[in-house]
Amino acid sequence: DLAAQELRHRHRMLVAVVNTFDLYDASSFGADEVKYGIHAGAVETSIMLALHPEAVRRAALAEFASLTRTLKEDFVLASPQGKFGFAWQAQDLNPAGAVGNAKAADEGRGRALLDEASARLAQFLAEFARLPLEILKARD
């Protein structure tokens, strides 16, 4: 987002911003996993199983509890995730560097997420390509 804003400001560019998590609906993994399983949990591991199953260390798949879930008991706003978050790295959320239930990963659901993401990204890019540059307004 910051880079896109900087390019818009400095070079008057129309810049696309896409977060891969917004390209698919992962609700089939459950609300808890969608909220807390944000790195190498069920969703990302399912995608990896669909793309490169040989790269997934299946013996290491586990449920990696998130610091975010633990903190929510005592902190309403101060959290690694959310509108009032703080900067974090994966090992801050779980010492293993993974967060979520990787044991729930499934290659078929990973393929479905990739198909949905591909379709949405293609749709977005087609729409983005049609946007007229005239929507950008010059600064006063």
Side-chain angles (χ1 to χ4, degrees):
D1 290 342
L2 292 175
Q5 283 293 334
E6 189 67 21
L7 289 168
R8 167 67 183 98
H9 175 73
R10 285 189 186 198
H11 303 289
R12 198 171 178 262
M13 293 174 66
L14 181 60
V15 180
V17 177
V18 179
N19 184 324
T20 56
F21 294 107
D22 295 329
L23 292 174
Y24 51 73
D25 176 7
S27 62
S28 68
F29 290 92
D32 199 59
E33 186 65 18
V34 170
K35 185 171 184 175
Y36 300 113
I38 61 171
H39 184 60
V43 174
E44 288 185 348
T45 303
S46 294
I47 290 170
M48 283 303 297
L49 284 170
L51 291 173
H52 297 287
E54 74 286 353
V56 177
R57 292 177 289 149
R58 294 172 195 257
L61 298 182
E63 185 164 356
F64 302 100
S66 175
L67 173 68
T68 303
R69 182 186 286 132
T70 304
L71 289 179
K72 78 174 187 157
E73 297 171 11
D74 293 321
F75 299 91
V76 175
L77 299 179
S79 173
Q81 297 171 251
K83 293 184 182 204
F84 301 98
F86 54 82
W88 56 269
Q89 295 181 335
Q91 73 273 11
D92 298 330
L93 301 183
N94 185 291
V99 186
N101 187 5
K103 292 188 308 185
D106 175 77
E107 182 178 344
R109 291 198 295 175
R111 174 63 51 209
L113 292 174
L114 288 169
D115 290 346
E116 182 181 2
S118 298
R120 275 204 178 147
L121 181 59
Q123 178 185 356
F124 170 73
L125 291 174
E127 290 180 11
F128 186 76
R130 291 193 338 258
L131 285 172
L133 291 177
E134 295 77 36
I135 66 172
L136 299 177
K137 304 299 179 204
R139 290 183 301 214
D140 293 333

